[in-house]
Amino acid sequence: MFNATFDQEQFQKVINVAVDQALKRHEIQNQIPPVLTRKQFMELTGVGESKCAELFNRLDFPVCRELGYPRVRTEKLFEWMDEHTNWVKDNINRESKLRII
């Protein structure tokens, strides 16, 4: 049999970081238009023409071509980014481990 203790201070730090990031993300989302042009997308993400073209041609990327020119719905972009971000997968277990005594 084993006993496990929970590091409440470390857990609180993880929660604080997550909440801060969520608030920042929400603030950013409210400041940008609901639909991005190619140029706006590149400015927002800091990518160049080549990377933009690569992303816009991916089957899983949330680009809409029905409006004449490709557009990206901001809401879907943030969802796509969440799904394709490895930070949570790579770090959540490391930062919120239970210590086994």
Side-chain angles (χ1 to χ4, degrees):
M1 186 169 211
F2 69 92
N3 290 331
T5 60
F6 185 73
D7 187 344
Q8 186 172 358
E9 185 177 320
Q10 185 65 25
F11 185 65
Q12 187 64 49
K13 287 179 186 177
V14 171
I15 289 174
N16 289 344
V17 168
V19 169
D20 289 346
Q21 289 174 347
L23 290 172
K24 183 177 178 181
R25 178 178 157 190
H26 183 71
E27 179 182 321
I28 290 170
Q29 285 179 327
N30 286 334
Q31 293 176 358
I32 56 179
V35 179
L36 301 170
T37 65
R38 183 180 181 93
K39 183 178 178 182
Q40 289 169 323
F41 169 77
M42 290 189 308
E43 289 173 1
L44 176 68
T45 59
V47 300
E49 286 284 341
S50 298
K51 186 53 134 177
C52 181
E54 177 186 327
L55 289 169
F56 275 42
N57 287 310
R58 284 180 58 152
L59 294 177
D60 67 335
F61 192 74
V63 64
C64 175
R65 299 179 189 282
E66 303 300 322
L67 302 172
Y69 291 101
R71 302 279 195 257
V72 177
R73 284 185 48 207
T74 305
E75 174 186 0
K76 296 298 181 188
L77 172 63
F78 281 99
E79 288 175 15
W80 183 87
M81 290 172 72
D82 283 344
E83 292 170 5
H84 291 82
T85 299
N86 292 327
W87 186 92
V88 173
K89 294 177 205 170
D90 294 344
N91 293 289
I92 194 68
N93 289 333
R94 186 176 10 193
E95 292 194 20
S96 62
K97 284 185 179 176
L98 291 176
R99 290 187 297 190
I100 299 175
I101 298 176

